[in-house]
Amino acid sequence: MPSLPPVELAADLSSATIEVTTGYTGARISVFGAVFGATGAPADVVVVVRGPEEPVAIARRERRAGLWLNGSPQTVSGAPGFHLTASSRRLSEIAAEDALRSAGAGLGGVSFSAGGGEPYRQAFLRLKARERLYVEDPAGVQFVDRGLFRARVVLPVSAPVGSYKVDVILFRGGRPVARRSRDLTIEKVGVERVISGFARERPWAYGVISVSIALAAGWAASAAFRRV
């Protein structure tokens, strides 16, 4: 295969920080950039957004004595809490599965270990995809003018708080030829940040206060109905 002329890739985010406040319903950001010198073979852009890792335990439903019960939980470690792949066309049309996996693109590029083997890994991927936390968007990247492109990234309200990595990868001839990485942060601010920090640093006290508030609210509601 003849060598392709060198290309350059530039990319950035419309916002590097997302603040979670009261009434937060998720967020949308744009990834934009340009491809320079892409003559000859067509260029494809793939954007991968990977969120903070979260340990998860999953269990398979098993039939025991006529009842469906959860079996022994298996631990999933190293899995991102959020993973999105946006591309200029279908990933299968851009590169082979091995090249995509090496680049961390698509569900096949989500690297983690799952106790219980491949069935639990596939079940975990299906659960995350159902929750819209693991997403493939084959029309998520659009070339708007010559080498200029724009990608949309939709972060649901359930996307975890923390540090994210955004990788913009340029594919040509079925292989990645350039990459740019940017950092993205989702953080709580205001009252939400204070409450979250208190719950994390003093879980027992937070639990006692939460139960006390719930009991007080229940008592107040009961007293109000008695008066009525």
Side-chain angles (χ1 to χ4, degrees):
M1 178 183 296
S3 60
L4 298 174
V7 293
E8 294 185 7
L9 173 67
D12 206 350
L13 309 178
S14 60
S15 177
T17 303
I18 297 172
E19 297 182 345
V20 177
T21 59
T22 302
Y24 176 74
T25 58
R28 293 173 180 264
I29 65 170
S30 294
V31 181
F32 56 90
V35 178
F36 304 98
T39 58
D44 287 288
V45 173
V46 175
V47 176
V48 179
V49 182
R50 182 184 176 97
E53 295 180 0
E54 292 184 329
V56 179
I58 59 175
R60 174 185 291 177
R61 302 276 288 181
E62 299 175 352
R63 191 173 180 84
R64 300 178 183 175
L67 300 175
W68 286 100
L69 303 173
N70 288 336
S72 301
Q74 301 292 333
T75 301
V76 175
S77 58
F82 179 82
H83 192 281
L84 176 142
T85 302
S87 52
S88 51
R89 53 179 174 154
R90 293 184 181 277
L91 293 175
S92 58
E93 299 173 356
I94 294 176
E97 187 175 343
D98 289 345
L100 295 169
R101 185 183 301 110
S102 298
L107 294 182
V110 183
S111 59
F112 62 92
S113 61
E118 188 63 20
Y120 283 86
R121 173 184 170 83
Q122 293 303 319
F124 176 77
L125 290 173
R126 287 194 300 271
L127 288 172
K128 286 292 188 179
R130 191 180 306 159
E131 296 170 355
R132 302 298 295 169
L133 291 173
Y134 283 13
V135 180
E136 290 184 4
D137 185 357
V141 178
Q142 296 180 341
F143 281 91
V144 294
D145 184 20
R146 295 178 181 269
L148 301 179
F149 65 86
R150 179 180 61 216
R152 62 173 181 266
V153 175
V154 179
L155 295 157
V157 67
S158 55
V161 173
S163 299
Y164 287 63
K165 179 70 71 176
V166 180
D167 287 321
V168 182
I169 311 165
L170 178 66
F171 281 83
R172 296 188 73 201
R175 59 188 179 90
V177 295
R179 178 190 293 255
R180 293 291 181 268
S181 296
R182 296 293 182 266
D183 294 324
L184 173 67
T185 302
I186 300 180
E187 61 180 7
K188 293 182 178 180
V189 297
V191 177
E192 287 75 13
R193 183 173 184 175
V194 173
I195 294 175
S196 177
F198 182 75
R200 184 175 58 255
E201 297 171 4
R202 300 180 181 179
W204 282 102
Y206 176 78
V208 170
I209 292 174
S210 298
V211 171
S212 299
I213 292 175
L215 291 174
W219 177 85
S222 176
F225 278 111
R226 282 199 302 268
R227 286 197 297 270
V228 174

